[in-house]
Amino acid sequence: MENWSVDQVCNWLRQRNLGELVPKFREEEVSGAALLALNDRMVQQLVKKIGHQAVLMDLIHKYQQQKSGLESLMCSCETASPKLPEVISGKNLKSFFARYNTLQWTSSYALPDFPYDVKCLLAEKKCPDHSMRIRIIEFLQADMTKYLEGSLYPNSQQYNIVVNALLQAYPFLDEDGNGFLLWKRALKDRFKYVRRPIEDDEQVLRNKCKFGHRRGQTRKSSFAENKPDDVQVQAEEEPVHLEGSAMDVHIKWLKQEYTKTQRNWKEVDNRMNVTIEIRRKMISEKAPLKDILGLFPFLRCPYQLFREFQLLTHMDIYKKTVEILEIYSENILSLYVVRNNPINIMLQENLKRHTEEDILKYMKMTAACLLLPDVFGDDSSLFAAVNEEVKVLTPVLEVKNPFNVNSCEFALYVEKEELAQLDDCTMALAALVAAFHVFDIPCPKRIHRTLNFLESLVFEVRSPASLP
């Protein structure tokens, strides 16, 4: 943040719903360094509303606390006693330093110095053509490799940090609200391209072995139906690499534990962590969903679905969804486009029957959730089937009696099969967004505006999409 320009500070304010402060911050030329140097008196001069003053000071204090935490972590790493391996050893030590390196990335990454022609194009705020995009991606890839000390295997969070930095510095690159995912995909493809000629590199060979690659064999994507407790595929298909009998044991344990009433959730978390690589491999190779759920039935549990999403994206999808509905519900319900919608009419009728504040808030959030596709002009049947039968294959919500507190039901369906039962509208909305990512399912065009709006708020990677 110390190195941010005035434009980056303004983008940061917009992302935190402080857009009203942008003109004043531009006028006073508040850069990142100046922002962190603000004291209470300066904030009072800059910001008129007490609420905005409190929010701004809280954000600055949180950043400073995070920074001081990083510094203390670095200090503890440098001055650690010889007894450290007794406390943090083996896998724990590896995990500790991996997390430490990620924190260093978060606090220190800055975009590279692009070539002159690229800088000219970016200064003119022109969307780059294909060849210029490739040049930008090449420089980002080279810069990331430098930060990774030569490694060609960034993790998902490191990709997120780099692309986020690019779009914060040059918001016009975020075309149609899809820029983050497009630039991230291009960057990942560039790393794959660079890794291709070095098949004999020791790290490449380790990763190929880790993910089940076999030299000279063609990948297959179909998985056969098997007995419930077996982990096999058809003989003519390439077998899923389970890293020996240990992986079989983990998968068998998960399947048995799923049938129990009282479950050891801590151990479930551990074994889901251990088996994530084979699970992601099956999903990336488009294995049938029933085969994936047969081996990993805990993906039917909302908690594990959200946890898988967090392992992939480092985002708490449920917490973000609660915030979205609390912030946007009233705005959605006040829009003219939903005034005569059957959902809104049903809401108004039910609001008259209750006076409890919590129930009224719950009903409004439920209605706002169900009205989202109509707000963006999308096909609501691809989002939720309200008191109707599910008719689509892509992830969709089934909702029954949405405004009856005693009998409302929410469920997530994928391929017309019930995946999970859900407690309320916030959990349902979070599960819907998570399902597209966890199972790597392309978003249908007739619902993409709604999901883009939600993802822009969940990932905090750009200025949030606005309601029409």
Side-chain angles (χ1 to χ4, degrees):
M1 183 180 283
E2 293 92 333
N3 300 322
W4 281 4
S5 65
V6 176
D7 286 338
Q8 288 174 301
V9 170
C10 293
N11 287 334
W12 179 79
L13 291 171
R14 293 191 190 97
Q15 289 175 355
R16 281 147 185 82
N17 296 321
L18 296 173
E20 294 179 27
L21 309 183
V22 168
K24 187 65 175 177
F25 272 61
R26 285 193 184 280
E27 180 184 341
E28 299 294 338
E29 298 183 357
V30 180
S31 63
L35 178 66
L36 295 176
L38 293 176
N39 56 33
D40 292 345
R41 183 179 57 81
M42 294 176 182
V43 170
Q44 290 172 7
Q45 291 177 343
L46 270 173
V47 183
K48 300 304 179 186
K49 294 182 180 179
I50 295 177
H52 287 169
Q53 292 175 10
V55 171
L56 183 61
M57 290 305 298
D58 182 59
L59 291 171
I60 293 173
H61 287 156
K62 284 181 179 177
Y63 176 82
Q64 291 170 339
Q65 288 172 358
Q66 182 184 12
K67 183 182 177 183
S68 63
L70 283 169
E71 290 172 350
S72 64
L73 177 60
M74 292 172 67
C75 180
S76 64
C77 289
E78 292 171 359
T79 61
S81 68
K83 295 182 179 180
L84 177 63
E86 298 176 10
V87 181
I88 308 175
S89 59
K91 291 183 179 179
N92 290 336
L93 184 64
K94 183 178 178 181
S95 173
F96 173 79
F97 282 109
R99 181 173 176 271
Y100 166 64
N101 290 333
T102 300
L103 289 172
Q104 280 189 307
W105 260 77
T106 306
S107 63
S108 65
Y109 183 78
L111 289 174
D113 189 18
F114 289 115
Y116 179 74
D117 57 334
V118 176
K119 285 196 286 189
C120 289
L121 182 92
L122 294 175
E124 295 173 1
K125 298 186 178 181
K126 290 183 179 179
C127 291
D129 58 17
H130 180 67
S131 61
M132 192 61 72
R133 282 175 178 271
I134 292 176
R135 294 204 66 197
I136 294 173
I137 289 296
E138 286 175 348
F139 271 84
L140 290 177
Q141 180 267 316
D143 194 58
M144 287 181 71
T145 304
K146 179 189 72 175
Y147 267 79
L148 290 167
E149 299 179 349
S151 172
L152 297 175
Y153 289 90
N155 61 36
S156 181
Q157 185 172 2
Q158 289 164 342
Y159 281 119
N160 290 348
I161 291 167
V162 173
V163 177
N164 190 21
L166 178 69
L167 296 184
Q168 281 191 343
Y170 307 106
F172 60 90
L173 295 178
D174 185 14
E175 303 170 33
D176 301 325
N178 296 317
F180 179 81
L181 297 177
L182 294 176
W183 284 99
K184 182 177 178 180
R185 170 52 59 192
L187 192 54
K188 293 177 76 172
D189 289 343
R190 175 65 188 174
F191 270 96
K192 288 182 182 178
Y193 177 79
V194 172
R195 290 195 296 262
R196 194 175 300 162
I198 53 174
E199 292 184 352
D200 295 325
D201 178 81
E202 183 180 351
Q203 186 179 7
V204 176
L205 290 173
R206 280 202 308 270
N207 278 274
K208 285 186 175 182
C209 177
K210 185 178 180 181
F211 289 100
H213 178 83
R214 290 183 145 200
R215 185 173 295 188
Q217 290 191 0
T218 305
R219 284 189 175 186
K220 302 288 184 178
S221 61
S222 60
F223 289 72
E225 290 184 340
N226 305 288
K227 296 178 182 179
D229 292 328
D230 292 338
V231 186
Q232 301 174 349
V233 291
Q234 293 178 346
E236 64 270 21
E237 303 288 342
E238 177 192 352
V240 177
H241 185 69
L242 296 180
E243 297 183 3
S245 59
M247 194 65 73
D248 292 319
V249 171
H250 289 310
I251 293 175
K252 187 172 183 179
W253 185 92
L254 286 167
K255 292 160 69 174
Q256 291 175 344
E257 190 71 9
Y258 184 75
T259 62
K260 297 179 181 180
T261 305
Q262 298 293 327
R263 295 160 178 166
N264 184 346
W265 286 108
K266 184 175 181 180
E267 187 63 20
V268 169
D269 290 348
N270 292 335
R271 296 191 186 239
M272 289 293 281
N273 282 351
V274 172
T275 56
I276 189 171
E277 290 163 3
I278 185 64
R279 188 161 62 251
R280 299 319 304 170
K281 184 175 186 292
M282 290 179 69
I283 291 171
S284 67
E285 293 187 345
K286 306 301 180 186
L289 182 64
K290 61 181 179 181
D291 290 350
I292 297 167
L293 296 176
L295 298 180
F296 305 102
F298 278 99
L299 288 178
R300 294 180 177 274
C301 300
Y303 163 74
Q304 283 297 330
L305 188 66
F306 299 158
R307 191 170 179 277
E308 188 92 351
F309 182 91
Q310 190 163 13
L311 289 173
L312 296 173
T313 65
H314 304 279
M315 290 291 178
D316 185 338
I317 182 68
Y318 181 73
K319 179 181 177 183
K320 291 290 182 184
T321 306
V322 172
E323 293 174 357
I324 291 169
L325 287 180
E326 287 183 345
I327 292 170
Y328 285 92
S329 290
E330 293 291 346
N331 290 338
I332 291 171
L333 295 176
S334 66
L335 293 174
Y336 178 80
V337 70
V338 302
R339 184 170 300 175
N340 296 319
N341 189 287
I343 296 291
N344 199 15
I345 294 173
M346 196 187 311
L347 168 69
Q348 300 305 324
E349 292 174 352
N350 282 273
L351 288 178
K352 300 173 184 177
R353 303 172 187 170
H354 299 275
T355 56
E356 299 89 341
E357 186 175 343
D358 289 344
I359 294 178
L360 297 178
K361 180 181 177 181
Y362 167 81
M363 287 183 175
K364 290 179 180 179
M365 290 174 66
T366 301
C369 171
L370 298 177
L371 287 169
L372 270 172
D374 297 283
V375 169
F376 290 95
D378 282 339
D379 186 346
S380 58
S381 67
L382 296 175
F383 186 83
V386 182
N387 296 328
E388 293 179 357
E389 181 183 352
V390 170
K391 300 177 182 178
V392 298
L393 295 173
T394 52
V396 68
L397 300 176
E398 182 193 57
V399 185
K400 296 180 179 178
N401 308 316
F403 304 115
N404 189 320
V405 179
N406 298 319
S407 64
C408 60
E409 296 179 12
F410 295 87
L412 174 66
Y413 275 68
V414 182
E415 296 181 0
K416 295 185 179 181
E417 297 291 334
E418 183 179 302
L419 184 76
Q421 293 185 352
L422 308 155
D423 294 342
D424 52 35
C425 65
T426 50
M427 183 178 285
L429 186 57
L432 180 66
V433 176
F436 279 99
H437 285 267
V438 169
F439 298 111
D440 195 19
I441 298 173
C443 170
K445 289 184 178 179
R446 290 181 293 157
I447 199 68
H448 82 276
R449 295 185 191 88
T450 303
L451 289 182
N452 282 346
F453 169 76
L454 294 170
E455 289 175 355
S456 74
L457 298 170
V458 168
F459 289 114
E460 296 181 341
V461 295
R462 50 185 176 264
S463 298
S466 57
L467 294 170

